Amino acid sequence: MNHLVENEKRAVSTIKSNPKFFYSYAKRLANSKSSVAPLKNKEGILTINAAEKAELLQAQYVNVLSNPADADMELCKSQVTETKNAELSNFAFTQEDIKKAIKEMDPHSAAPDGDIPCSEFY
């Protein structure tokens, strides 16, 4: 135990002159290992099984990413043109429209920059 205390004092005393030594010492003593927290499956049940968590993460990955080669470019171009020609005054959304749209969102998808709340609150 004395050896540990001596090493700790040495690391602290050299933090200004040799910060690399201090951080490598602290890293060696760190006990926390990063891992994936329990995940909910489609039934809403938490799982800690590594294989099942891997499958859930893979399914999420496939769900949120698309293959650009599969895109219908003509449809995309027409939608971009329609969007460019649209004016904000052409759209009318009620509170119910927004609630309905939020409920239709996948609760397991990543939130956009605006942090849309989970549909379970509506």
Side-chain angles (χ1 to χ4, degrees):
M1 189 69 170
N2 252 355
H3 187 274
L4 184 63
V5 172
E6 288 175 26
N7 283 343
E8 189 172 304
K9 285 181 182 178
R10 180 174 168 232
V12 170
S13 67
T14 62
I15 193 167
K16 285 186 179 179
S17 61
N18 190 0
K20 199 174 198 180
F21 174 78
F22 174 79
Y23 289 111
S24 65
Y25 174 78
K27 190 174 180 180
R28 276 195 313 266
L29 295 179
N31 291 330
S32 64
K33 304 288 182 203
S34 63
S35 64
V36 176
L39 298 174
K40 285 184 180 179
N41 61 19
K42 289 182 180 182
E43 291 79 35
I45 300 169
L46 286 175
T47 181
I48 59 171
N49 178 283
E52 190 174 350
K53 289 193 297 185
E55 290 295 324
L56 290 168
L57 291 171
Q58 173 65 19
Q60 176 65 16
Y61 177 80
V62 169
N63 189 35
V64 298
L65 298 177
S66 62
N67 183 351
D70 294 339
D72 181 346
M73 291 309 292
E74 292 307 314
L75 176 63
C76 290
K77 287 177 186 175
S78 69
Q79 289 174 342
V80 168
T81 303
E82 288 172 17
T83 303
K84 283 182 180 178
N85 294 334
E87 292 183 21
L88 191 55
S89 61
N90 293 347
F91 299 99
F93 299 104
T94 66
Q95 190 174 19
E96 290 306 312
D97 291 332
I98 295 170
K99 286 180 181 180
K100 181 180 175 190
I102 290 173
K103 284 181 181 179
E104 291 174 0
M105 292 175 65
D106 181 356
H108 303 293
S109 63
D113 285 341
D115 281 82
I116 295 175
C118 292
S119 61
E120 60 196 69
F121 296 114
Y122 292 96

